[in-house]
Amino acid sequence: MVPDVPAAEVAALDPGDPDFVADPYPVFHALRSRAALHRHPAWGSHVALSHEMCSTVLRHRRLLRVWTDREPAAEFESFNALHRLSMLENEQHHDRLRAAVSPLFHRRHVDSMRPVITELVERRLGELCERIEAEGDADLMAGLARPLPVDVIATLLGFPLRDGPLLRNWSNRIVRMYEPEIDEPARRDAERAAGEFRGYIADLAEHRRRRPGDDLLSALADGSGDLSGDELIANYVLLLMAGHEASVNGIGNAVVALHEHPEQWRHLRQVREDERALLTAVDELLRHDTPNQLFERTAVRPVELGGHRVEEGEKVVVLLGAANRDPAVFSAPDGLDLTRAPNPHLALGVGAHYCLGAPLARLEIGLVLAALAARLPEYALPTPPHAARPSPSAATTGSASQLDRRRVSSRFPTTPRSSVSCQRRSC
């Protein structure tokens, strides 16, 4: 029989508690030391904590994502359609839908975009440095971490770059649907945003049919591929929304972690021009403070997990942050070691739903960190340097609740407020 989460940890394992979200790892360690799989009475689901158990759940063909329409379905037609027809939610057609867009995310194609991404990074970072020069400090998340990933994925997918703010606005309104206590006006606004986004993609696809370009949307919009019109719209929205989440959160978490580990920041500055060493560092930063920590699967048939039976219809929540700090797999798991190799972290998933954009996210985060190391080598953050908070990104990341980490490094001041400082000459 699967053990219940002990009463003390039920209270502690609360995604709505800012203290837990700020540092969930002690709770994860305590639970994992008792069992790899627990039953959480309040959540009504099983909870997987060890690296082995989380990997097993994510790979298991009887544990799948199961979409349920928002009700009343007739009033949330656009929101439901965007999810029901996406590769993330449509298990029956997952392989076909993924295959239609996967060439765009192959490592070779992503590597070919390095010059374009580098140019986008330099442009956003240049604007950030100009703000530091003019105002004395700048907001990293607003000026770089949030807009840049949308710039990159929009360029990759063939969206006009000028529409980035519009795309971010729709994405942010749609994912509000996943907040635990969303009110009715916000639900209606999420549906409106979904409808507006659908209409935008439909109009853009029609334009590409008439005037095709050298981009994926032009290739898919002519109707000769494996995607129907509605599937094209749903998966393009998914790729835009999901394609920037890991990078946004990963950049914020990485900057905070490097601020808290100055010796590792010095190492990164030394290896910033070494592509292999830089990717090794990115993998460790993703492991150390996993941006999207919680995924959910549903048993479509009874399944045995670690000697325990999970019945059809029961849910299993996978805590990736717990898996990535498992001492059975990682030495000194709470430490940050940018040379750690091998590094079998699960931050980007595993199995059939392994993050399609993983090569893009790793490259993008690496280029941002390399650019920061070159142009802002002595950055400073205020105290406290970040605010870890719940993030309503379940729609795009596969999260079941609001445990996604968004440790926001907010400002880059030019006056010393901590152990390191960002002087004007650094830009």
Side-chain angles (χ1 to χ4, degrees):
M1 183 176 179
V2 180
D4 280 352
V5 174
E9 271 77 22
V10 167
L13 189 62
D14 178 8
D17 181 356
D19 291 335
F20 170 71
V21 176
D23 185 11
Y25 300 108
V27 177
F28 291 164
H29 284 315
L31 283 172
R32 193 195 316 102
S33 68
R34 293 188 175 98
L37 187 71
H38 290 264
R39 176 155 185 85
H40 196 301
W43 293 1
S45 64
H46 302 281
V47 179
L49 295 121
S50 74
H51 187 280
E52 180 181 11
M53 183 61 71
C54 289
S55 181
T56 296
V57 171
L58 292 175
R59 293 178 186 275
H60 208 293
R61 300 303 295 180
R62 292 189 181 184
L63 294 166
L64 305 177
R65 293 185 54 83
V66 176
W67 171 254
T68 302
D69 279 352
R70 285 292 188 271
E71 296 292 345
E75 297 179 16
F76 294 97
E77 190 270 335
S78 288
F79 180 87
N80 289 331
L82 289 181
H83 293 79
R84 192 189 313 116
L85 297 173
S86 79
M87 72 183 80
L88 192 65
E89 305 293 351
N90 193 325
E91 292 285 0
Q92 181 181 357
H93 297 287
H94 169 267
D95 293 347
R96 174 179 61 83
L97 297 173
R98 184 175 175 118
V101 299
S102 62
L104 196 65
F105 295 91
H106 285 168
R107 191 178 306 276
R108 182 177 299 177
H109 182 72
V110 169
D111 285 343
S112 74
M113 288 195 63
R114 180 182 294 270
V116 175
I117 298 174
T118 299
E119 182 179 344
L120 293 171
V121 170
E122 289 297 330
R123 190 188 73 177
R124 288 291 183 182
L125 184 55
E127 293 171 353
L128 192 78
C129 286
E130 289 175 5
R131 198 164 296 120
I132 291 174
E133 294 286 347
E135 303 175 13
D137 65 7
D139 189 315
L140 173 73
M141 297 303 290
L144 178 65
R146 291 195 187 102
L148 174 69
V150 176
D151 291 346
V152 172
I153 194 67
T155 300
L156 187 69
L157 296 178
F159 292 109
L161 203 57
R162 65 179 180 274
D163 290 344
L166 190 62
L167 302 174
R168 288 197 303 274
N169 175 269
W170 283 325
S171 178
N172 292 336
R173 290 162 61 197
I174 291 169
V175 299
R176 283 205 63 197
M177 187 73 88
Y178 288 84
E179 293 178 359
E181 297 180 359
I182 183 173
D183 58 25
E184 193 59 27
R187 276 167 41 97
R188 301 296 175 184
D189 186 61
E191 169 64 15
R192 282 194 298 273
E196 292 164 7
F197 210 160
R198 289 177 76 192
Y200 171 88
I201 300 295
D203 290 345
L204 187 59
E206 179 60 29
H207 176 75
R208 291 289 195 272
R209 274 191 286 270
R210 295 195 306 267
R211 296 182 179 179
D214 185 21
D215 58 76
L216 181 67
L217 185 57
S218 296
L220 296 175
D222 66 5
S224 62
D226 289 333
L227 298 185
S228 69
D230 288 339
E231 288 174 339
L232 171 62
I233 293 170
N235 285 282
Y236 245 68
V237 170
L238 168 69
L239 291 172
L240 188 284
M241 293 172 64
H244 73 280
E245 275 291 319
S247 296
V248 172
N249 298 349
I251 292 168
N253 286 13
V255 170
V256 171
L258 292 167
H259 173 78
E260 294 173 345
H261 297 82
E263 76 289 352
Q264 297 298 311
W265 175 236
R266 287 192 292 270
H267 168 78
L268 188 135
R269 286 161 53 188
Q270 293 170 358
V271 304
R272 68 177 187 267
E273 296 182 359
D274 183 331
E275 292 180 14
R276 180 172 296 183
L278 197 59
L279 286 179
T280 297
V282 170
D283 278 330
E284 173 65 356
L285 289 161
L286 290 171
R287 180 206 69 84
H288 177 262
D289 198 9
T290 305
N292 303 317
Q293 295 219 350
L294 189 155
F295 285 72
E296 183 183 88
R297 296 291 184 267
T298 301
V300 294
R301 283 186 286 172
V303 60
E304 290 280 328
L305 292 176
H308 303 294
R309 183 178 173 89
V310 176
E311 299 294 345
E312 181 177 344
E314 292 187 326
K315 298 183 182 298
V316 182
V317 171
V318 177
L319 296 177
L320 298 184
N324 287 338
R325 297 269 187 123
D326 189 342
V329 177
F330 303 100
S331 61
D334 290 326
L336 180 68
D337 177 7
L338 299 189
T339 67
R340 188 186 299 271
N343 191 340
H345 68 81
L346 303 180
L348 298 170
V350 70
H353 284 282
Y354 179 72
C355 179
L356 184 64
L360 179 64
R362 294 170 74 233
L363 173 62
E364 187 176 338
I365 294 171
L367 290 176
V368 168
L369 295 177
L372 287 172
R375 299 190 64 177
L376 295 169
E378 302 298 331
Y379 74 85
L381 299 175
T383 302
H386 63 269
R389 60 184 176 84
S391 162
S393 59
T396 57
T397 63
S399 307
S401 186
Q402 311 306 313
L403 191 57
D404 300 332
R405 302 274 287 161
R406 201 182 283 256
R407 288 171 52 109
V408 180
S409 53
S410 59
R411 311 293 288 182
F412 271 70
T414 58
T415 54
R417 301 185 194 175
S418 57
S419 60
V420 289
S421 63
C422 168
Q423 305 296 331
R424 283 188 171 84
R425 59 181 171 78
S426 301
C427 293

